[in-house]
Amino acid sequence: MKLLSQTLCLCLILVLFDSDHHLDHHHTDGVPDRCEGKGLEMDAVAVNEEGVPYFFHDHHLFKGFHGKAEMSNETFPELDDHVHVDAAFRMHYEDSDDHDHMFFFFKDKVLSYYQHKLEDGYPKPISEVFPGIPDHVDAAVECPKPECDEDSVIVFKGGDMYHYDVKTKAVTSKNLQNLPSCTSAFRFMEHYYCFHGHQFTKFDPKTGDMHINYTKNAQDYFMRCSTFDSNSDHVEREQCSRVHLDAITSDNAGDIYAFRGHHYLHKDDATDALKAESIESAFKELHSEVDAVFSYEGHLHMIKDDNVFVYKVGEPHTHLDGYPKTVKEELGFEHADHIDAAFVCNDQHIAHIIIDDKIYDVDMKASPRVPTNERPMGVLKHVDAAMCGSTGVKAIVGNHFYHFDSVMLMVAAKALPEQHRVSQELFGCDH
């Protein structure tokens, strides 16, 4: 009987050990998915020196608006299991000695990185680097003049908001009445967002006041996911998303087709009406993830990986027999791993193909078709999508586009023209 009791105890210990070990293993090796369910609560959000947003969750880091998580210490080695990021921001003031430094708050300490390398002497106490700012903060975000009265850092803790003047180190504070408790804060396209749970709220950086009726699902606007909450407004999401477009074109009637991840947005030129659907619902052979698209003689030429699909524009769009064809067969490129953008201007027959920082011409009336006139893109080192119409070329980079009167002027430009917001100026998003 004693032997039986000892055996049962040993088995129970092994079961408990295995259960604990399984839980630890799941915690250590389990990779969070920001598109699962309604999304994740982010502990901190900041942009790097190239403008790429970094989303921190527990000990993981999401770079950009899509892609899998990685361990934070793969990019910032000091962010190990003992460091849980409470808040983060990038100091982006050219007059400051800390210009383009990224700061991470954890407990009562702060870390400073420059070009992803920890600065000497860090970590330091928050009170030493940012005197007047409390420990254990919830969120932080940069706020340049004139968006704030002076170049500042905004810090949130509980129901209080602190403004830290970068130049004078003066601190003012305010108790917030209507803004939710922020777990992270983010400045993006000159707007300010307080993230709380899986949602975010737009706020005024000077007063901390919440914009009326503006609480949204972060997954809808700051993530590129294949599925969304059933309550998601698909048109508004695609119209106002902060995630960059994969491809865009306008057809002979002036209608715009814009592709992002698994969805596309159709803007009717005659009525300005917007329609958002899954790519698979209208272009089932493609499924999703379009690399580039251009319109030519009433057809959409859609490039995905090493293949070109061609659809006749209509309701429904008709997939042409014989397609897809390879990029080599259709456009003559021998070794094109990824085409970034493509467009045809007006009633011309030259397809302009952008790969990395170069642009090529392909005569669509030629047989066989071959790329010619290779030249550098000039000031544009990367383009996500592009289209051309009666007013010229729109080159889309991230969440902005640049307008050029012609392809020649785009290639020859010595400086970037004025930035325009994709969501607002192409699709009429009002927030």
Side-chain angles (χ1 to χ4, degrees):
M1 189 69 170
K2 183 178 180 181
L3 179 61
L4 178 60
S5 298
Q6 290 175 335
T7 301
L8 289 172
C9 288
L10 178 60
C11 290
L12 180 60
I13 290 171
L14 289 173
V15 168
L16 291 172
F17 171 80
D18 183 68
S19 175
D20 289 342
H21 176 73
H22 175 74
L23 289 173
D24 288 342
H25 177 81
H26 177 76
H27 175 76
T28 303
D29 295 339
V31 178
D33 183 352
R34 56 178 157 184
C35 289
E36 186 176 0
K38 291 186 177 181
L40 299 173
E41 177 177 285
M42 296 300 171
D43 301 317
V45 186
V47 296
N48 70 3
E49 55 269 26
E50 296 175 347
V52 176
Y54 283 0
F55 298 87
F56 294 86
H57 172 78
D58 199 13
H59 295 290
H60 288 86
L61 167 61
F62 298 92
K63 293 180 178 178
F65 298 110
H66 59 95
K68 294 183 178 180
E70 60 183 58
M71 296 300 294
S72 301
N73 58 19
E74 291 180 22
T75 302
F76 304 99
E78 293 77 13
L79 300 184
D80 56 23
D81 290 342
H82 303 290
V83 178
H84 183 281
V85 177
D86 295 324
F89 75 95
R90 177 173 63 117
M91 187 83 79
H92 192 59
Y93 310 126
E94 294 185 0
D95 293 337
S96 169
D97 293 337
D98 295 320
H99 176 61
D100 269 349
H101 288 229
M102 292 186 71
F103 288 90
F104 298 92
F105 294 85
F106 71 101
K107 297 182 180 179
D108 60 345
K109 298 290 193 298
V110 64
L111 297 167
S112 174
Y113 285 84
Y114 182 64
Q115 295 181 344
H116 292 76
K117 292 182 180 179
L118 183 65
E119 291 285 284
D120 292 340
Y122 284 87
K124 294 181 180 181
I126 293 174
S127 58
E128 178 183 337
V129 183
F130 299 101
I133 297 300
D135 298 338
H136 300 277
V137 302
D138 297 322
V141 63
E142 70 280 7
C143 185
K145 187 179 179 179
E147 294 166 21
C148 280
D149 293 332
E150 302 294 339
D151 288 342
S152 305
V153 178
I154 301 174
V155 176
F156 295 91
K157 180 174 181 178
D160 296 323
M161 178 176 75
Y162 299 80
H163 279 89
Y164 176 88
D165 187 313
V166 172
K167 187 175 182 179
T168 67
K169 297 188 177 182
V171 176
T172 59
S173 63
K174 177 183 179 180
N175 183 260
L176 303 176
Q177 299 299 317
N178 66 347
L179 191 69
S181 181
C182 306
T183 56
S184 58
F186 190 31
R187 174 181 179 265
F188 192 69
M189 295 172 64
E190 295 80 50
H191 293 293
Y192 291 79
Y193 303 97
C194 161
F195 287 78
H196 44 96
H198 63 273
Q199 296 181 313
F200 69 94
T201 297
K202 191 176 178 182
F203 69 93
D204 185 311
K206 292 183 179 181
T207 65
D209 292 336
M210 180 176 70
H211 287 227
I212 297 174
N213 297 325
Y214 195 100
T215 297
K216 309 283 185 181
N217 190 328
Q219 190 185 68
D220 282 358
Y221 296 87
F222 290 97
M223 310 293 166
R224 189 173 84 174
C225 302
S226 58
T227 57
F228 294 89
D229 184 81
S230 58
N231 296 322
S232 173
D233 184 328
H234 297 291
V235 172
E236 185 187 46
R237 183 193 69 235
E238 296 305 322
Q239 177 189 16
C240 297
S241 176
R242 278 54 171 165
V243 182
H244 73 77
L245 295 173
D246 297 325
I248 191 170
T249 191
S250 58
D251 62 20
N252 292 349
D255 290 9
I256 293 176
Y257 297 84
F259 299 83
R260 179 190 289 113
H262 292 254
H263 298 80
Y264 80 99
L265 188 68
H266 174 214
K267 180 181 179 182
D268 188 298
D269 183 63
T271 64
D272 280 343
L274 295 170
K275 180 176 69 174
E277 295 184 25
S278 69
I279 293 174
E280 190 165 17
S281 67
F283 308 97
K284 64 180 181 180
E285 293 79 9
L286 277 167
H287 302 296
S288 63
E289 308 286 348
V290 179
D291 293 329
V293 57
F294 64 89
S295 302
Y296 177 64
E297 293 188 336
H299 293 78
L300 298 178
H301 293 249
M302 308 177 75
I303 302 167
K304 178 181 172 69
D305 300 325
D306 191 38
N307 292 305
V308 180
F309 299 75
V310 179
Y311 291 83
K312 183 179 180 181
V313 175
E315 292 293 342
H317 305 299
T318 306
H319 185 240
L320 296 194
D321 291 339
Y323 287 89
K325 294 182 180 178
T326 66
V327 169
K328 183 179 184 303
E329 289 177 294
E330 186 71 3
L331 300 173
F333 286 91
E334 290 281 353
H335 305 289
D337 294 332
H338 179 84
I339 291 177
D340 295 305
F343 59 91
V344 173
C345 293
N346 298 334
D347 296 325
Q348 298 178 15
H349 54 88
I350 301 298
H352 303 282
I353 309 295
I354 299 175
I355 301 175
D356 296 327
D357 59 351
K358 291 184 171 59
I359 185 169
Y360 305 81
D361 294 345
V362 176
D363 188 341
M364 296 298 290
K365 291 188 178 298
S367 183
R369 296 169 182 158
V370 293
T372 61
N373 197 20
E374 175 188 332
R375 57 236 192 253
M377 282 291 294
V379 292
L380 291 170
K381 303 303 180 185
H382 171 75
V383 174
D384 291 313
M387 67 178 180
C388 188
S390 58
T391 61
V393 183
K394 290 180 175 65
I396 297 174
V397 181
N399 309 282
H400 295 89
F401 70 88
Y402 303 94
H403 177 266
F404 301 90
D405 289 338
S406 67
V407 179
M408 182 179 70
L409 291 175
M410 178 178 71
V411 174
K414 301 299 183 184
L416 287 173
E418 180 185 358
Q419 279 188 343
H420 300 271
R421 293 179 185 169
V422 171
S423 58
Q424 182 182 51
E425 297 186 51
L426 287 185
F427 303 121
C429 177
D430 61 358
H431 56 77

